[in-house]
Amino acid sequence: MVTLKIALDRLIPAVDDLPGAGSLGLAENLERFSNRSAAMRSALVAVLDALSLDPGLHVSGGFQALKPEQQDEAIRTVEVALSEKFGQFLKLVYVVYYMDSRVHQRIGWESRPLQPRGFDLIPFDEAVLEKARQRKPFWRKAPS
Amino acid sequence: MPDNEIADVLVIGSGASGGAVAWRLAEAGFKVVCLEQGSWMDPSQYVTRDLDWEFRGMTDWSFDPNVRRRPEDYPVNDTGSAITPFMFNAVGGSTIHWTGHTPRFHPSDFRVKSLDGAADDWPLSYDELAPYYELNDVMMGCSGINGDPANPPRSPRPMPPLPLGPEGIRMAQAFDKLGWHWWPSDSFVNSTEYDGRGACNNCGPNGLGCTTRAKGSTDVTYWPKAIKLGAVLRTRARVSEITVDSRGRCTGAAYYDRDGRVQLQRARAVIVACNGIGTPRLLLASQSGAHPNGLANRSGLVGKNLMFHPYAIVVGAFSDLAEAWKGPLGNILMSQEFYETDPKRDFIRGYSYQMGRSPGPAGTAVSWAGNMVPWGERHHQEFKRRFGKLISLAVISEDLPEHHNAVTLDDKLEDSNGIPSPKVSYKVSGNTRRLLDHGISKARQVFDVAGAHTVMVNPLLRGGGWHLMGTARMGTRPETSVLDRWGRAHDVDNLFVVDGSTFVTSAAVNPTPTIQALALRTADFIIRERREFRG
């Protein structure tokens, strides 16, 4: 969990008054949501394994002991080596992060389900068709 | 109707075409039974009622049955396909998941061979189908406005168009500046209350199901009416085989019920409406002494000539747009400036542009244009540049039929009842690639004029197999087609197909109104010519 928390902070760092994704406490959510999708679970496990078990990282004290720029480098190495799994993992990270109400508040997204309220439906204004209506029919005739 | 009674007509599949054909026949007094492997969906439970709707849209509510893996889905082997096929299995079929963008074919789409020397002509014309488009528009509920110069005239739409929104107006003005065609999309999404269903409330991702029932999926349009007229719809009923007598004529179907027991439904005629992949799968699985290579497959063409609409996605990012997620995702406008063949180009046929709005927060970060927002220090800056500020143009290309693009039965993969899964083999042709590249280049021009600061391109949307066509094609000759001009099998006179399998060519528009119009036309043929099916 520590490795995941640190990795999340590197993937989506702090911004304005919001801490990074790991410090927001999203590692647990990530675990929880990954259990609802076999593909995402498999990706999460593969990426964490790669970050935790890389021999080079192990010798030097593990991923968490690295300097931030070294952590980024380690993540980039995994991204290249496990590109498909990493892409799935990153998708999971983004989806969980952008589901969080604190993030919604910062980006200006109303933090509620889309339904039942939706958004106002403003009637269509035909004035916009003024130019398009001037064009003569140009559909291609065909033998019947 | 009791389970053991012989139906006049058995419909297999309750989606876009199954709903339409069942209603029309029930209205004419036929005893109709429909077998559907999925269940009724409860619109009030669709995922947009929850905060995790974007997660669910990528997982257990995905368009892709291999990702979704609901009990009623069957796996599809698509490892040999450049495009991932999509479908949904429920009452309403894939109309549960569609956006309800509903353009029509053009007259030229029915005469590709005569006009452009490629593929084949359809054994019917636009004019023959036009009355059924009109009927279907009323039944499904069409919002739009007539007068489109790129298409033949049509009746006033039952409802006014959905609003363009600031982003739609921006793009309309760009097309105007270039002197290129655009027109508000016809949509089976209510812009006002219609037929007992509410108006759209502009929530956005209508491809995830419509909780207000403003979107015309057949579970809320055709089916309630068909059932009222006496049609029987049996859910969680997965057909394993269409049964035949010693002469090879259909006698009904064998299916697994919700408890996994094998049942038989007898019928005087069978209509298959399982989509362009499910239908050839079922026909190929229905082998018998009379049909050793699969039902109605004397031509060897069942499963061949699979067509998708290969999509390229071009996305513009604008600094002065905001909240461009408000409104149905893809029901705004379309351009058919480059729809028809132009001998000066290096490809034949053409494409439509379908405009799309901005996705939600996670969709923005993940990006269907193929380039995710980067992780790390640049993440927030790049996200801010995109969020609520994106407009897409989908290049919907015409896909010409090719023999090697095919659906066959997988020799290992099977569904939960042990029925062989379909295996899809598909390559994008050179003509299509050149056509898509042209569409990308012209879309860049539109975005330049519209004022986009960045343009992103996905040259081929792998996850874009919404439209499944061509795998049991119509034609005049039994040697070169599976079905006649009414959708009746050449080999079996009481077997009909009414889904996208019947298509001879694909056109360059979303196919569902054409599928439904063909289904209604087939129903009228049965009503008119095949009264003996009525017991």
Side-chain angles (χ1 to χ4, degrees), chain B residues 228-369:
Chain B
K228 208 168 179 180
L229 290 163
V232 173
L233 174 53
R234 212 165 285 151
T235 59
R236 297 302 297 271
R238 176 178 274 160
V239 174
S240 57
E241 182 187 357
I242 297 168
T243 53
V244 296
D245 61 18
S246 58
R247 292 179 299 154
R249 294 186 84 237
C250 293
T251 56
Y255 67 96
Y256 290 94
D257 68 14
R258 62 181 63 238
D259 300 317
R261 292 174 302 203
V262 176
Q263 306 280 0
L264 291 173
Q265 174 62 54
R266 294 181 296 158
R268 294 182 182 85
V270 173
I271 299 177
V272 189
C274 302
N275 81 45
I277 286 178
T279 287
R281 176 200 188 205
L282 179 57
L283 296 178
L284 291 170
S286 299
Q287 294 176 2
S288 62
H291 303 282
N293 299 318
L295 190 57
N297 195 24
R298 190 156 48 101
S299 65
L301 289 171
V302 170
K304 305 293 186 189
N305 298 303
L306 171 68
M307 297 175 283
F308 292 110
H309 286 125
Y311 280 79
I313 304 295
V314 188
V315 179
F318 296 80
S319 57
D320 55 350
L321 272 183
E323 301 187 340
W325 58 71
K326 289 182 176 176
L329 184 70
N331 306 75
I332 314 156
L333 62 82
M334 68 186 312
S335 170
Q336 295 188 323
E337 183 65 29
F338 304 103
Y339 195 85
E340 301 288 358
T341 296
D342 181 340
K344 294 195 286 292
R345 300 184 199 129
D346 61 354
F347 57 89
I348 59 166
R349 307 303 294 161
Y351 55 89
S352 297
Y353 287 124
Q354 180 182 353
M355 183 192 151
R357 291 195 163 89
S358 281
T364 301
V366 169
S367 175
W368 75 328

Side-chain angles (χ1 to χ4, degrees), chain B residues 42-57:
Chain B
D42 177 355
S44 72
Q45 299 303 310
Y46 286 145
V47 299
T48 47
R49 293 289 299 241
D50 298 318
L51 276 171
D52 62 356
W53 62 276
E54 290 190 284
F55 175 80
R56 294 196 61 194

Side-chain angles (χ1 to χ4, degrees), chain A residues 10-15 33-34 36-38 40 71-73 75-76 79 86-88 90-92 94-99 104 106-126 128-129 131-133 135-144, chain B residues 48-56 58-59 107-108 111 114-116 125 145 149-153 161-164 169 172 176 179-184 191 200-203 205 211-212 325-326 336-337 340-341 349 360-362 365-366 372-377 379-380 383 387:
Chain A
R10 298 314 303 163
L11 293 167
I12 307 184
V15 59
F33 275 95
S34 74
R36 291 165 54 179
S37 158
M40 288 188 173
Q71 288 169 341
D72 286 354
E73 192 52 41
I75 294 172
R76 267 191 287 276
E79 183 176 21
F86 188 86
Q88 193 71 253
L90 193 59
K91 191 192 272 191
L92 173 66
Y94 285 172
V95 172
V96 169
Y97 181 78
Y98 284 106
M99 210 187 299
H104 287 170
R106 186 190 153 265
I107 64 176
W109 174 264
E110 216 176 325
S111 197
R112 61 167 172 91
L114 292 166
Q115 291 289 359
R117 203 186 323 161
F119 303 106
D120 291 341
L121 190 77
I122 298 155
F124 181 83
D125 180 1
E126 290 193 30
V128 72
L129 280 169
K131 188 160 182 186
R133 275 189 164 137
R135 189 155 177 185
K136 296 268 192 305
F138 66 100
W139 49 276
R140 191 179 182 191
K141 304 292 187 293
S144 50
Chain B
T48 47
R49 293 289 299 241
D50 298 318
L51 276 171
D52 62 356
W53 62 276
E54 290 190 284
F55 175 80
R56 294 196 61 194
M58 296 176 198
T59 53
S108 68
R111 295 290 177 266
S114 298
L115 292 171
D116 295 320
S125 67
I145 188 164
N151 281 273
L162 293 160
L164 297 183
I169 292 170
D176 278 346
W180 292 357
H181 167 263
W182 73 273
W183 200 256
S191 60
C200 173
N201 68 359
N202 235 14
C203 84
T211 64
T212 65
W325 58 71
K326 289 182 176 176
Q336 295 188 323
E337 183 65 29
E340 301 288 358
T341 296
R349 307 303 294 161
V366 169
M372 293 170 83
V373 171
W375 60 269
E377 293 302 325
H379 179 82
H380 295 294
F383 181 85
F387 183 51

Side-chain angles (χ1 to χ4, degrees), chain B residues 84 87 208 239 468 507 534:
Chain B
T84 302
M87 66 186 72
L208 297 179
V239 174
L468 315 171
R534 286 185 64 174

Side-chain angles (χ1 to χ4, degrees), chain B residues 62-318:
Chain B
S62 166
F63 300 138
D64 182 349
N66 291 340
V67 173
R68 196 170 59 232
R69 300 170 80 165
R70 292 167 64 86
E72 51 268 51
D73 290 321
Y74 55 87
V76 178
N77 181 350
D78 63 358
T79 53
S81 175
I83 292 174
T84 302
F86 292 154
M87 66 186 72
F88 197 73
N89 297 302
V91 177
S94 298
T95 63
I96 298 292
H97 254 298
W98 73 333
T99 59
H101 188 255
T102 54
R104 295 183 185 182
F105 274 33
H106 288 208
S108 68
D109 291 323
F110 296 87
R111 295 290 177 266
V112 173
K113 180 79 169 177
S114 298
L115 292 171
D116 295 320
D120 283 300
D121 289 346
W122 287 57
L124 68 150
S125 67
Y126 176 87
D127 290 340
E128 284 181 72
L129 207 54
Y132 294 102
Y133 277 126
E134 299 284 347
L135 172 60
N136 191 55
D137 287 345
V138 171
M139 293 299 295
M140 293 291 283
C142 185
S143 297
I145 188 164
N146 54 355
D148 178 1
N151 281 273
R154 58 192 66 170
S155 298
R157 312 288 72 207
M159 289 171 279
L162 293 160
L164 297 183
E167 54 283 348
I169 292 170
R170 169 77 61 98
M171 293 301 281
Q173 289 169 342
F175 280 110
D176 278 346
K177 279 183 192 164
L178 288 163
W180 292 357
H181 167 263
W182 73 273
W183 200 256
S185 294
D186 268 9
S187 293
F188 290 168
V189 176
N190 294 354
S191 60
T192 60
E193 284 190 19
Y194 183 81
D195 197 23
R197 296 183 287 116
C200 173
N201 68 359
N202 235 14
C203 84
N206 55 356
L208 297 179
C210 181
T211 64
T212 65
R213 305 190 312 143
K215 184 178 76 172
S217 48
T218 58
D219 60 323
V220 299
T221 57
Y222 279 111
W223 275 113
K225 292 179 170 65
I227 289 167
K228 208 168 179 180
L229 290 163
V232 173
L233 174 53
R234 212 165 285 151
T235 59
R236 297 302 297 271
R238 176 178 274 160
V239 174
S240 57
E241 182 187 357
I242 297 168
T243 53
V244 296
D245 61 18
S246 58
R247 292 179 299 154
R249 294 186 84 237
C250 293
T251 56
Y255 67 96
Y256 290 94
D257 68 14
R258 62 181 63 238
D259 300 317
R261 292 174 302 203
V262 176
Q263 306 280 0
L264 291 173
Q265 174 62 54
R266 294 181 296 158
R268 294 182 182 85
V270 173
I271 299 177
V272 189
C274 302
N275 81 45
I277 286 178
T279 287
R281 176 200 188 205
L282 179 57
L283 296 178
L284 291 170
S286 299
Q287 294 176 2
S288 62
H291 303 282
N293 299 318
L295 190 57
N297 195 24
R298 190 156 48 101
S299 65
L301 289 171
V302 170
K304 305 293 186 189
N305 298 303
L306 171 68
M307 297 175 283
F308 292 110
H309 286 125
Y311 280 79
I313 304 295
V314 188
V315 179
F318 296 80

Side-chain angles (χ1 to χ4, degrees), chain B residues 466-493:
Chain B
W466 289 282
H467 307 154
L468 315 171
M469 301 163 286
T471 46
R473 66 201 318 226
M474 292 194 290
T476 52
R477 295 174 53 215
E479 298 80 21
T480 55
S481 56
V482 178
L483 311 168
D484 71 9
R485 65 191 308 267
W486 302 107
R488 175 179 50 185
H490 289 301
D491 302 354
V492 187
D493 77 343

